[in-house]
Amino acid sequence: MSTTHKQINFLRGWPSPGLLPTHLLSSACQRVLANQDEYTEMQEYGSCHGLTRLRKGLANWIGPHYGVTPDPERICITGGASQNLVCILQCFSDVNYTRAVWVVAPCYHLGCGIFEDSGFAGRLHAVPEDDEGIDLPIFDRKLQEFEKQDKEKRDQKVMHPADIVYNEYRKLYRHLIYTVPTCSNPSGLTMSLGRREGLVKLARKYDALIISDDVYDLLQWPLAAPVTQDRQAELRLPRLCDIDLSMGLSDDDPHGFGHAVSNASFSKLSGPSVRTGWAEASPVFISGLARTASTRSGGAPSQLCAAMLAEVVENGQLQRFVDETVRPTLQRRHRLMMDAIHTYLLPLGARTRVSSLNGYEIFGGYFVWLELGSESSTKFIADVLKTEENIIVGHGNLFVVHGDERSAIFDNSIRLSFSWEAEQDIEDGIRRIGQLISRMNRNREHYLQLASTSNMS
């Protein structure tokens, strides 16, 4: 069946044009480039730690948000969360020493490839989550079983010289853990405080580094109340790196590298094109990360964009834009989608999470994770939606962990983004999804036959 419907893309996790502070960045760029002494410095290579102004500005913004003392020495500027993930792997892992990568599932679908490109293909393992986040008892059992099976391999020679395994700027970790603990992509779930503390303790027990994708922390809102600058405690849960630092040195980490790093980005705050982010961890870890060879060769990532961002962070313009424009807009878009889901999909057997944090009336991020309750796989439904309704969604098994697909399967789920499409198209798109599911229910034999004779299933 061909379609002339307008395309609606619920897969695209991009900020809509109204969520971009273009006018702020334009003015900031003009100010930065107006002074020759300043722009000459900005257009040179720069410190490996990144622009000091932005590091200080971030420390003064982020520190009070999380209730920690602002400390620029815990921060380095990066080229964005994806680029910095590569730098973290280059500095703190080794394919012959680091035994496994543990990924909370469902997972960010483009993250697995970064680990695979870094030599960890076939060594990614899925860890399930429940309503509070990562399932710690299951994870602990998986780690114990892995350690027993891996015992005979522990004496393999590492690729790097022996003094790089643990020196002033480097510590190789035996395990890596990748998670999006706040408003997870794709599930929308926020990990509870208890699970965060338990995860850090496990990381210390098994010599693991938690790489925490913290790109949605500042993009949360109450479900019913108006968005304000003041945020209740449940919107400011401590990051894993802060919990780790509060526990002091672990027995196997006398230099104080720690067991968690926050990998954050401006992509959802000021637009993906700035290609700028920041990492926050212990000062020792940050010093090592800043000395990534590619950074030492090329200088601070995103130097000019960092100067623009420093302008709008120092004067508070970006913070106000996030609180007065981005968060209320996302709150409204999320409400539009949820109202449409309740109207058109829940009566058909679909289920979804109302709150991102169990027990609290809050949400955040870009995505709704929906269980359709259909006898057809959501891969098939996604293909039919594209063909018959011109609607693009992320089917559940797009978000499995590469190489460990059978450990966590999501045949019945889809991810819907409410950040990109025009607001008037959100309800229309959900309505059309409901129409297709109703059509499939009425014409069950036709679609079963289609699934069996096509490459859609």
Side-chain angles (χ1 to χ4, degrees):
M1 179 187 298
S2 61
T3 179
T4 58
H5 289 301
K6 174 184 178 181
Q7 183 176 95
I8 295 178
N9 191 331
F10 286 136
L11 175 62
R12 180 168 284 174
W14 296 7
S16 66
L19 296 174
L20 301 175
T22 307
H23 62 294
L24 297 182
L25 296 180
S26 175
S27 299
C29 186
Q30 292 179 43
R31 291 195 299 271
V32 167
L33 295 179
N35 183 303
Q36 183 174 359
D37 291 338
E38 186 170 355
Y39 71 65
T40 298
E41 179 185 354
M42 292 310 103
Q43 292 184 282
E44 295 292 352
Y45 288 102
S47 161
C48 289
H49 276 73
L51 192 68
T52 300
R53 285 180 59 199
L54 182 55
R55 293 168 62 214
K56 289 182 177 179
L58 279 168
N60 291 330
W61 177 13
I62 302 300
H65 174 85
Y66 292 109
V68 298
T69 302
D71 184 0
E73 296 306 309
R74 291 184 60 197
I75 297 173
C76 69
I77 305 305
T78 71
S82 295
Q83 178 266 354
N84 189 51
L85 177 54
V86 177
C87 291
I88 292 171
L89 296 178
Q90 289 175 338
C91 288
F92 298 104
S93 72
D94 178 274
V95 293
N96 286 331
Y97 183 85
T98 304
R99 307 316 304 159
V101 179
W102 303 89
V103 183
V104 179
C107 70
Y108 170 49
H109 66 297
L110 298 177
C112 292
I114 298 175
F115 289 101
E116 291 176 321
D117 282 353
S118 299
F120 291 102
R123 295 162 64 185
L124 277 65
H125 303 269
V127 183
E129 62 181 10
D130 60 19
D131 286 342
E132 287 193 51
I134 186 169
D135 192 316
L136 292 176
I138 289 180
F139 188 24
D140 196 3
R141 287 198 301 271
K142 283 177 174 279
L143 283 164
Q144 289 181 41
E145 292 168 2
F146 182 91
E147 288 287 323
K148 290 177 182 178
Q149 296 173 5
D150 192 62
K151 188 175 182 180
E152 68 275 8
K153 302 177 183 178
R154 293 188 179 183
D155 294 329
Q156 285 191 11
K157 185 179 180 181
V158 300
M159 287 175 55
H160 296 298
D163 62 343
I164 301 298
V165 175
Y166 207 157
N167 69 12
E168 184 181 0
Y169 299 119
R170 290 289 185 271
K171 168 179 165 51
L172 298 183
Y173 293 83
R174 282 190 48 76
H175 297 274
L176 302 173
I177 302 168
Y178 176 73
T179 181
V180 188
T182 301
C183 307
S184 175
N185 177 5
S187 71
L189 180 69
T190 291
M191 191 183 300
S192 69
L193 177 58
R195 297 292 174 87
R196 293 172 188 236
E197 292 170 342
L199 179 57
V200 172
K201 290 176 182 177
L202 272 187
R204 289 169 160 242
K205 178 180 177 181
Y206 290 98
D207 188 26
L209 172 65
I210 306 169
I211 304 171
S212 181
D213 203 334
D214 291 334
V215 301
Y216 301 109
D217 286 40
L218 299 173
L219 302 180
Q220 300 179 77
W221 54 85
L223 285 176
V227 172
T228 65
Q229 184 176 359
D230 296 327
R231 308 184 195 208
Q232 58 263 46
E234 55 267 29
L235 297 176
R236 297 183 291 107
L237 290 182
R239 293 167 299 179
L240 295 162
C241 67
D242 296 327
I243 293 171
D244 180 53
L245 204 61
S246 71
M247 293 181 179
L249 299 181
S250 61
D251 293 339
D252 65 344
D253 183 27
H255 293 281
F257 285 92
H259 290 272
V261 54
S262 173
N263 194 21
S265 174
F266 284 99
S267 291
K268 304 299 190 288
L269 304 176
S270 59
S273 66
V274 298
R275 307 316 308 146
T276 306
W278 70 96
E280 188 157 354
S282 73
V284 177
F285 187 100
I286 290 301
S287 291
L289 183 59
R291 286 171 172 80
T292 307
S294 59
T295 301
R296 296 186 69 185
S297 172
S302 307
Q303 180 80 334
L304 179 58
C305 285
M308 295 161 49
L309 291 165
E311 287 276 319
V312 295
V313 169
E314 283 179 339
N315 61 26
Q317 288 180 320
L318 184 58
Q319 294 91 314
R320 288 192 294 274
F321 182 78
V322 169
D323 287 336
E324 296 173 5
T325 300
V326 179
R327 294 172 63 220
T329 300
L330 290 173
Q331 181 195 51
R332 184 173 63 250
R333 286 169 161 272
H334 173 252
R335 185 178 297 142
L336 285 170
M337 177 170 280
M338 292 298 291
D339 287 347
I341 287 172
H342 277 80
T343 300
Y344 300 111
L345 297 181
L346 294 194
L348 300 176
R351 294 185 303 164
T352 190
R353 177 179 291 109
V354 175
S355 172
S356 56
L357 180 61
N358 195 36
Y360 295 91
E361 295 295 306
I362 63 172
F363 207 83
Y366 275 14
F367 307 107
V368 168
W369 186 248
L370 191 66
E371 295 181 13
L372 290 183
S374 172
E375 63 181 301
S376 299
S377 75
T378 51
K379 171 63 168 66
F380 175 68
I381 293 174
D383 288 339
V384 177
L385 272 172
K386 185 175 181 181
T387 301
E388 297 188 8
E389 294 290 338
N390 205 13
I391 290 178
I392 301 173
V393 301
H395 65 86
N397 283 337
L398 185 64
F399 306 98
V400 298
V401 175
H402 294 188
D404 195 19
E405 292 85 357
R406 297 182 66 84
S407 290
I409 300 173
F410 308 102
D411 270 339
N412 200 33
S413 301
I414 61 173
R415 189 197 74 174
L416 300 173
S417 168
F418 51 83
S419 66
W420 170 249
E421 288 291 354
E423 292 186 14
Q424 63 268 23
D425 291 331
I426 292 176
E427 180 182 7
D428 182 51
I430 300 300
R431 178 183 59 80
R432 283 156 55 186
I433 294 174
Q435 288 179 337
L436 172 72
I437 293 174
S438 295
R439 192 160 65 242
M440 293 178 70
N441 290 339
R442 290 193 307 269
N443 301 279
R444 180 174 177 273
E445 294 303 322
H446 166 72
Y447 284 99
L448 288 176
Q449 179 67 21
L450 180 62
S452 66
T453 59
S454 71
N455 59 4
M456 288 185 177
S457 59

